mmCIF file of all heavy atoms in Angstrom:
data_model
loop_
_atom_site.group_PDB
_atom_site.id
_atom_site.type_symbol
_atom_site.label_atom_id
_atom_site.label_comp_id
_atom_site.label_asym_id
_atom_site.label_seq_id
_atom_site.Cartn_x
_atom_site.Cartn_y
_atom_site.Cartn_z
ATOM 1 N N ASN B 109 2.052 -3.637 -11.878
ATOM 2 C CA ASN B 109 2.787 -2.607 -12.595
ATOM 3 C C ASN B 109 2.173 -2.500 -13.970
ATOM 4 O O ASN B 109 2.351 -3.376 -14.801
ATOM 5 C CB ASN B 109 4.253 -3.017 -12.706
ATOM 6 C CG ASN B 109 5.084 -2.010 -13.510
ATOM 7 O OD1 ASN B 109 4.580 -0.961 -13.902
ATOM 8 N ND2 ASN B 109 6.326 -2.333 -13.756
ATOM 9 N N ALA B 257 2.535 -14.598 4.545
ATOM 10 C CA ALA B 257 2.830 -13.767 5.710
ATOM 11 C C ALA B 257 3.174 -14.658 6.908
ATOM 12 O O ALA B 257 4.135 -14.386 7.650
ATOM 13 C CB ALA B 257 1.644 -12.869 6.065
ATOM 14 N N GLY B 335 -0.387 -3.998 -42.446
ATOM 15 C CA GLY B 335 -0.776 -4.619 -43.691
ATOM 16 C C GLY B 335 -2.223 -4.374 -44.035
ATOM 17 O O GLY B 335 -2.575 -4.043 -45.164
ATOM 18 N N VAL B 372 -27.648 -25.255 -17.376
ATOM 19 C CA VAL B 372 -28.663 -25.563 -16.362
ATOM 20 C C VAL B 372 -30.006 -25.204 -16.910
ATOM 21 O O VAL B 372 -30.207 -24.100 -17.390
ATOM 22 C CB VAL B 372 -28.399 -24.724 -15.078
ATOM 23 C CG1 VAL B 372 -29.391 -25.093 -13.998
ATOM 24 C CG2 VAL B 372 -26.976 -24.908 -14.618
#
Side-chain angles (χ1 to χ4, degrees):
Chain B
N109 177 6
V372 183

